[in-house]
């Protein structure tokens, strides 16, 4: 017999992916990469032992930002670009909550670039997931700040002339201490990233490469297609050599003369396994080099690229000052207003 | 046609010198370079005056530049105080005494002085180049410029340098003691105890600091100068009897202080912790500074990256079950508008404080105005009703802030509290209130899972339930998209949008049943003329209406509006019981338009946007004109 233990609020102690799915009908386009990310999140949260009542998803505006409606947790679908600011306010008020921010390339890097910067540099303990599809989907296909030069769209009929932003490079520049990258359909890898992000105390930034099937289909095909995936994806792991390729004979090497990374093949031009760089996720300079690599000359680098926690996160430091202030006793407003120069009228 | 208040008027309605015995109040204006420490001089004199038991009102009037080039007219900083043995309601129309610490200060201020008034000059600052720089063709002391005034020249600079010499401070530090030397002199003139200033100096510099000792010596020396130089009869010491006020404990309070404390009190009465999220902006920043020191009260302050983030963080805090507050001024309010719409749509409590300043755009950052009424009441996309309330004076900010918190939490709505630059910076004696004397309005968070949805409403107030994250069984999603009335889920249904819009409107309209009916401050509830004001114009309107009734026998009443939106239920009928309505405000007719649109009355406006507070005489003269008594 199967006995499920129920707690007071009707949820069992041990939750499954289903317990994290809301009753709302998911309204993304059929085939959208967001479905896979949502499914991975449901499962990951259940596996991590997260509690729906203590979990909050906050989003801005855009396709990705509908995410909270499909989670059976607390959720706040806010306004364009401002999710990190609202999440910061919530985290300051309620540090014990597990707060996730779901955003897109337009939401986070265009209209909300400023808020993302400050949430990262302050190191607020938020898990920020940026779904990057290099397009504005919800507004019907305009180019975005991550679109490549030449991207044709309703607002760039002759092709975009903007130089694109690189999400992880931006995050590192903002002072992020956890930067990771995954692909929408790689549930197993995403699961690891979600767990690592949640465990990281401080702001965690995860870029998720996400395919927009309607307005920008196959834009990442050069490294996501099955046929090329092994040769064009480098999944990094701390302490392990950065090897990739079907034969796992390809790797990255540092040229100490040019201070550039080079894609090399073991056995060619005298390259041996010893030449291959070992990933060090605490190395910020290395992270900066890795996130900037792009196919076709290089593989797309995926996984936890940088993780170097600070002594404490922002809201912890804020709380520490408050605790310090309260140590002198609780405030008495009537007394405060009567301090200093006063006089009595009889 | 609306009457335009004449801000540049130099008339002297009372005219001529007034002997001291006739005065029940005196207006002193201190003016100098922005580096001369005039604001400190003024605020310390106010403190001494308050402790002497006089009623008072102050008006700090300073430039936007921190240190404009020395000796320029645009670098002049001034501080005006009106004090008396009767209740003082404004900082005074015309100074009786002008203390000018340099030629530029004289240039900017002498025309406003009462005829026969006293000018005290620092003759040490009247060098040829300073005089030219201030824009005088010739030395104003010798060409008849000041012939309508009494002039007392003292080389304050030399006095200050001399006094400071034994303490071994630099020439620059020595010269900077001239504000305290001047304070000493003026303290002697008005028989003020200087203990509070001595304590201030000791606190600021420490007992052993040479600069502190030089300042203390300068203060005493200024006082001694008055005593020993047998100054002419006009400036002989005046002892003003203390004002008769309600018994109790008093202090001086600025609008920013009482507003910050009022917010803290409101949070306590609601049994909530507070998160204030703000971005630095003049003249609102003191609220952030004051609350940042009150962490022991369960108050968290957050200096956000911009005005938008400040409003959003406050919304995030409210979503989390704290009292979210954001404070700003006009340009900042403009930036917060979209976020305020989100708080209206998601029906979360939020207090938005707008310390108004001259606009549009950057406008006049350090000058006062009341021109954010439209943006507060109507300035959002969509039909987005919000309660708006306004404080009338520095001390009143305390009560208004509590009221703002009460409305926000009881009705689950953002509330805009309008203050202004004049109120924020000015100080007045304040009978210190007690939080215990206010009825609590404890917030009860929703915990019942049975039949829960996030937009379940109280049938009477129409407020939705406040269910905060962390509560088991109440997981829900909210957002800026229209919500279904019966479930809170996203809804694009036409009839539902109509219903939700009507409900949000009705919720705010119903607040009119929960606020006091409109009363009449002075005069009868019907008659020939009602002068209507709101916010910081309370003082000059009130005094002018009193004067016109008592001294000139005119049939005029004063109505002061605190609840700007929704308006009190009886206001329309009340206004219609007067033959004429005159709306006096520091903008181009915003309350005027609001009242006309709501009640279809033929009101006129007395409108002023000079960055300076309304004067009693401007209101009096408008009253005479309206009643054909000019």
């Amino acid at each position: 017999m199967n006995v499920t233990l129920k707690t007071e609020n009707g949820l069992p102690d041990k939750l499954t992916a289903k317990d994290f799915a809301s009753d709302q009908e998911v309204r993304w386009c059929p085939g959208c990469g967001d479905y896979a990310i949502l499914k991975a999140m449901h499962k990951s949260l259940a596996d991590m032992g997260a509690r729906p009542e203590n979990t909050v998803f906050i989003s801005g505006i855009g396709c990705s930002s509908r995410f909270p409606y499909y989670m059976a947790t607390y959720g706040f679908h806010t306004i364009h670009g401002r999710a990190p600011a609202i999440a910061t306010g919530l985290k300051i008020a309620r540090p014990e909550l597990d707060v996730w921010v779901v955003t897109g390339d337009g939401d986070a890097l265009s209209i909300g670039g400023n808020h993302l910067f400050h949430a990262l540099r302050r190191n607020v303990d938020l898990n920020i997931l940026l779904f990057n599809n290099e397009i504005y989907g919800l507004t019907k296909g305009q180019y975005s700040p991550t679109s490549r030069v030449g991207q044709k769209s309703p607002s760039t009929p002759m092709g975009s002339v903007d130089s694109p932003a690189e999400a992880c490079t931006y995050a590192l520049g903002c002072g992020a201490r956890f930067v990771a990258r995954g692909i929408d359909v790689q549930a197993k890898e995403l699961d690891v990233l979600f767990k690592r992000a949640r465990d990281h105390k401080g702001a965690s930034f995860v870029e998720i490469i996400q395919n927009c099937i309607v307005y920008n289909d196959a834009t990442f095909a050069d490294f996501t297609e099955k046929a090329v995936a092994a040769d064009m994806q480098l999944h990094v792991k701390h302490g392990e050599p950065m090897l990739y390729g079907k034969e796992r004979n390809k790797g990255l090497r540092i040229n100490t003369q040019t201070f550039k990374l080079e894609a090399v093949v073991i056995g060619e031009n005298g390259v041996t396994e010893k030449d291959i760089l070992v990933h060090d996720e605490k190395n910020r300079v290395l992270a900066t080099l890795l996130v900037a690599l792009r196919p076709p000359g290089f593989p797309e680098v995926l996984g936890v690229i940088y993780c170097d926690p600070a002594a404490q996160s922002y809201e912890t430091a804020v709380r520490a000052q408050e605790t310090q202030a309260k140590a002198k006793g609780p405030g008495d407003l009537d007394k405060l207003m009567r301090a200093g120069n006063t006089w009595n009228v009889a | 046609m609306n009457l335009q208040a004449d801000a540049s008027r130099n008339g002297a309605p009372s005219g001529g010198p007034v002997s001291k015995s006739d005065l029940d109040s005196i207006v002193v204006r201190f003016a100098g370079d922005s580096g001369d420490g005039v604001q400190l001089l003024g605020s310390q004199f106010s403190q001494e005056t308050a402790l002497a038991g006089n009623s008072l009102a102050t008006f700090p009037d300073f430039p936007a530049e921190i240190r404009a080039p020395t000796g320029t007219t645009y670098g002049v900083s001034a501080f005006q105080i009106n004090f008396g043995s009767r209740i003082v309601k404004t900082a005074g129309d015309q100074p009786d005494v002008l203390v000018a610490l340099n030629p530029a200060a004289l240039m900017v201020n002498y025309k406003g002085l009462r005829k026969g008034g006293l000018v005290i000059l620092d003759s040490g600052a009247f060098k040829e180049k300073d005089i030219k720089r201030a824009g005088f063709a010739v030395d104003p002391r010798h060409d008849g410029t000041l012939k309508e005034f009494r002039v007392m020249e003292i080389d304050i600079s030399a006095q200050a340098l001399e006094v400071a010499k034994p303490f071994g401070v630099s020439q620059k530090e020595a010269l900077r003691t001239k504000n305290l030397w001047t304070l000493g002199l003026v303290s002697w003139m008005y028989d003020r105890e200087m203990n509070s200033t001595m304590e201030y100096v000791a606190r600021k510099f420490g007992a052993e600091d040479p600069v502190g000792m030089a300042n203390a010596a300068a203060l005493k020396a200024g006082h001694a100068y008055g005593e020993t130089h047998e100054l002419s009869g006009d400036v002989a010491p005046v002892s003003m009897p203390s004002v008769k006020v309600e018994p109790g404990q008093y202090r001086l309070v600025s609008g920013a202080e009482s507003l910050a404390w009022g917010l803290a009190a409101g949070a306590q009465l609601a049994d909530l912790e507070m998160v204030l999220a703000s971005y630095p902006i003049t003249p609102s920043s003191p609220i952030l500074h004051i609350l940042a020191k009150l962490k022991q009260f369960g108050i968290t302050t957050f200096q956000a990256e911009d005005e938008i983030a400040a409003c959003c963080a406050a919304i995030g805090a409210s979503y989390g079950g704290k009292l979210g507050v954001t404070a700003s001024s006009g340009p900042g309010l403009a930036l917060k508008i979209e976020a305020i719409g989100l708080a209206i749509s998601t029906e979360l409590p939020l207090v938005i404080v707008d310390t108004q300043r001259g606009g549009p755009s950057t406008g006049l950052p350090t000058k006062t105005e009341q021109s954010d009424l439209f943006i507060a009441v109507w300035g959002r996309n969509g039909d987005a009703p919000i309660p708006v309330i306004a404080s009338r004076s520095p001390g009143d900010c305390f009560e208004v802030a509590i009221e703002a918190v009460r409305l926000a939490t009881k009705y689950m709505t953002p509330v805009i509290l309008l203050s202004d630059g004049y109120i924020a910076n000015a100080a007045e004696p304040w009978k210190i209130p007690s939080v215990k004397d206010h009825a609590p309005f404890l917030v009860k968070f929703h915990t019942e899972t049975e039949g829960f949805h996030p937009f379940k409403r109280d049938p009477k107030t129409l407020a939705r339930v406040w269910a905060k994250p962390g509560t088991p069984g109440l997981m829900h999603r909210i957002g800026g998209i229209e919500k279904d009335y019966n479930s809170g889920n996203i809804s694009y249904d036409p009839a539902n949008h109509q219903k939700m819009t009507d409900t949000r409107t009705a919720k705010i309209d119903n607040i009119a049943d929960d606020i006091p009916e409109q009363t009449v401050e002075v005069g009868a509830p019907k008659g020939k003329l009602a002068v209507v004001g709101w916010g910081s114009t309370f003082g000059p309107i009130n005094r002018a209406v009193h004067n016109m009734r008592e001294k000139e026998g005119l049939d005029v009443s004063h109505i002061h509006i605190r609840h700007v939106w929704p308006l009190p239920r009886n206001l329309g009928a009340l206004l219609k019981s007067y033959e004429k309505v005159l709306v006096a405000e520091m903008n181009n007719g915003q309350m005027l338009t609001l009242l006309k649109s709501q009640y279809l009355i033929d009101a006129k406006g007395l409108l002023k946007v000079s960055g300076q507070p309304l004067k009693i005489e401007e209101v009096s003269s408008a009253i005479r004109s309206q009643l054909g008594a000019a």
Side-chain angles (χ1 to χ4, degrees), chain B residues 48 56 83 92 134-136 140 175 193 198 256 259 294 299 338 344 361 414 433 464 485-486 529 544 601 611:
Chain B
E48 292 176 6
L56 70 90
F83 58 97
F136 290 110
L175 202 56
E193 291 287 340
M198 292 299 285
L259 206 153
L294 302 187
I299 294 170
E338 190 199 10
I344 291 171
S361 187
R464 77 169 180 98
Y485 185 89
N486 296 309
L529 175 65
I601 53 171

Side-chain angles (χ1 to χ4, degrees), chain B residues 18-360:
Chain B
V18 183
S19 79
K20 290 290 180 194
S21 58
D22 293 344
L23 286 176
D24 51 13
S25 72
I26 295 174
V27 179
V28 179
R29 188 170 177 91
F30 302 99
D33 217 48
S34 35
D36 281 342
V38 168
Q39 298 305 321
L40 177 72
L41 162 56
S43 58
Q44 283 303 320
F45 183 68
S46 306
Q47 187 68 254
E48 292 176 6
T49 300
L51 291 169
N54 289 150
S55 176
L56 70 90
T58 71
F59 174 37
D61 188 10
F62 45 86
E65 293 76 15
I66 299 300
R67 287 281 165 87
T70 314
T72 55
T73 49
Y74 54 89
V76 172
S77 176
F79 186 103
Q80 188 165 315
I81 174 170
N82 183 7
F83 58 97
S85 54
R86 61 159 189 185
I87 297 287
V88 163
K89 291 179 176 171
T90 76
D93 283 9
Q94 285 189 308
D96 299 297
V97 177
L98 170 65
V99 179
L101 295 179
N102 72 356
L106 183 68
M107 180 55 138
V108 173
N109 291 292
Y110 79 91
K111 287 177 188 159
L113 190 62
R114 175 175 62 78
K115 273 182 193 161
L118 173 68
V119 182
I120 300 175
L121 293 179
D122 175 12
S123 59
F126 276 68
K127 304 214 170 62
E128 181 75 21
K129 74 168 174 31
D130 303 321
I131 292 168
K132 288 273 172 330
R133 188 159 215 196
F136 290 110
V138 287
D139 192 332
R141 295 173 297 174
H142 309 312
D143 70 343
T145 300
L146 304 177
K147 66 172 187 280
E148 289 177 323
F149 314 114
R150 291 165 295 139
V151 180
M152 183 163 74
E153 288 188 50
I154 306 171
D155 191 342
I156 298 173
S157 299
Q159 295 282 341
L161 285 172
E162 190 62 29
V163 176
K165 208 190 273 174
F167 300 98
V169 299
S170 69
Q171 170 98 359
K172 195 176 150 202
E173 290 289 0
L175 202 56
R176 285 182 66 182
T177 65
K178 81 180 194 178
N179 62 338
L180 285 188
W181 194 96
T182 308
L183 177 57
L185 178 71
V186 178
S187 299
W188 168 78
M189 285 171 63
Y190 298 106
D191 196 21
R192 299 288 174 236
E193 291 287 340
M194 304 193 297
N195 296 348
S196 59
T197 303
M198 292 299 285
E199 284 163 17
Y200 168 82
V201 171
R203 213 169 42 242
K204 176 156 184 200
F205 296 99
E208 302 298 313
D209 186 285
V211 176
M213 289 193 279
N215 273 288
L219 180 71
K220 287 184 198 154
H223 194 274
Y225 185 94
E227 266 176 2
T228 55
H229 281 69
E230 299 184 2
L231 296 175
S232 64
D234 283 334
V235 287
V238 178
S239 184
M240 195 169 279
S242 50
V243 67
K244 290 211 173 8
V245 290
E246 265 182 72
Q249 194 177 2
Y250 283 76
R251 65 169 294 141
L252 268 191
V253 77
S254 73
E257 281 170 329
S258 94
L259 206 153
W261 295 339
L263 290 169
Q268 287 187 357
L269 294 166
D271 192 24
L272 290 176
E273 292 192 313
M274 187 205 302
V275 174
L276 171 87
S278 271
Y279 184 74
I281 186 169
T282 302
S284 166
S285 300
I287 295 170
L288 170 61
H289 305 167
I290 295 162
L291 290 172
K293 289 187 204 147
L294 302 187
K295 295 181 171 43
Q296 67 276 26
F297 289 85
I299 294 170
T300 306
T301 54
F302 173 60
Q303 182 177 316
E305 57 269 28
D306 61 28
E307 295 283 359
I308 297 171
C311 194
C312 287
I315 291 171
S318 285
Y319 174 67
K322 304 267 165 120
L323 174 67
V325 180
T326 186
S328 190
S329 296
L333 180 62
L335 284 164
K336 294 178 195 296
I337 290 300
E338 190 199 10
I340 294 171
L342 177 69
I344 291 171
S345 174
T346 53
E347 303 188 44
L348 281 167
L350 173 71
V351 176
I352 305 122
V353 180
D354 176 18
T355 304
Q356 301 167 93
R357 67 189 214 188

Side-chain angles (χ1 to χ4, degrees), chain A residues 53 73-74 77 322 334 343 345, chain B residues 248 250 300 434 470-471 477-478:
Chain A
E53 65 269 26
T73 61
Y74 282 89
H77 178 220
E322 288 172 11
D334 283 351
W343 65 95
V345 176
Chain B
Y250 283 76
T300 306
S434 176
T471 314
R477 277 63 57 194
I478 59 171

Side-chain angles (χ1 to χ4, degrees), chain B residues 221-560:
Chain B
H223 194 274
Y225 185 94
E227 266 176 2
T228 55
H229 281 69
E230 299 184 2
L231 296 175
S232 64
D234 283 334
V235 287
V238 178
S239 184
M240 195 169 279
S242 50
V243 67
K244 290 211 173 8
V245 290
E246 265 182 72
Q249 194 177 2
Y250 283 76
R251 65 169 294 141
L252 268 191
V253 77
S254 73
E257 281 170 329
S258 94
L259 206 153
W261 295 339
L263 290 169
Q268 287 187 357
L269 294 166
D271 192 24
L272 290 176
E273 292 192 313
M274 187 205 302
V275 174
L276 171 87
S278 271
Y279 184 74
I281 186 169
T282 302
S284 166
S285 300
I287 295 170
L288 170 61
H289 305 167
I290 295 162
L291 290 172
K293 289 187 204 147
L294 302 187
K295 295 181 171 43
Q296 67 276 26
F297 289 85
I299 294 170
T300 306
T301 54
F302 173 60
Q303 182 177 316
E305 57 269 28
D306 61 28
E307 295 283 359
I308 297 171
C311 194
C312 287
I315 291 171
S318 285
Y319 174 67
K322 304 267 165 120
L323 174 67
V325 180
T326 186
S328 190
S329 296
L333 180 62
L335 284 164
K336 294 178 195 296
I337 290 300
E338 190 199 10
I340 294 171
L342 177 69
I344 291 171
S345 174
T346 53
E347 303 188 44
L348 281 167
L350 173 71
V351 176
I352 305 122
V353 180
D354 176 18
T355 304
Q356 301 167 93
R357 67 189 214 188
S361 187
T362 306
L364 304 171
T366 60
K367 308 296 176 188
T368 196
E369 209 163 274
Q370 296 182 299
S371 46
D372 293 347
L373 185 140
F374 278 170
I375 193 176
V377 176
W378 285 315
R380 281 164 297 282
N381 61 309
D383 290 300
I386 191 170
V388 180
I389 58 175
S391 63
R392 65 164 68 168
S393 69
D396 187 48
C397 288
F398 185 80
E399 303 301 332
V400 170
I402 291 175
E403 175 70 350
V405 178
R406 183 184 77 89
L407 293 177
T409 51
K410 181 170 177 183
Y411 293 91
M412 293 293 282
T413 177
V415 174
I416 295 180
L417 193 173
L418 294 175
S419 175
D420 65 33
Y422 176 62
I423 291 175
N425 292 322
E428 67 177 4
W430 187 46
K431 189 181 168 193
I432 308 169
S434 176
V435 182
K436 292 187 271 298
D437 295 341
H438 293 75
F441 39 86
L442 307 180
V443 163
K444 232 183 138 236
F445 289 102
H446 193 81
T447 52
E448 177 56 52
T449 54
E450 188 65 35
F452 168 78
H453 73 83
F455 284 81
K456 199 174 151 94
R457 294 175 190 280
D458 179 303
K460 191 160 167 281
T461 63
L462 299 179
R464 77 169 180 98
V465 291
W466 195 357
K468 57 179 177 181
T471 314
L474 300 188
M475 289 76 75
H476 64 272
R477 277 63 57 194
I478 59 171
I481 297 182
E482 187 62 282
K483 292 143 284 274
D484 181 70
Y485 185 89
N486 296 309
S487 69
N489 290 327
I490 290 180
S491 167
Y492 295 99
D493 179 69
N496 178 71
H497 180 52
Q498 182 75 54
K499 187 169 184 182
M500 286 297 277
T501 302
D502 294 346
T503 304
R504 286 187 287 262
T505 304
K507 180 175 86 166
I508 302 307
D509 285 350
N510 287 350
I511 291 175
D513 296 329
D514 193 18
I515 61 174
E517 288 216 330
Q518 183 63 51
T519 55
V520 179
E521 297 290 335
V522 183
K526 60 180 181 182
K528 287 201 172 128
L529 175 65
V531 184
V532 179
W534 64 281
S536 71
T537 54
F538 177 85
I541 297 174
N542 197 264
R543 176 61 72 198
V545 170
H546 261 297
N547 289 352
M548 290 301 97
R549 291 178 60 83
E550 283 167 23
K551 295 182 184 163
E552 302 184 21
L554 299 180
D555 179 9
V556 55
S557 301
H558 175 204
I559 291 172
H560 183 83

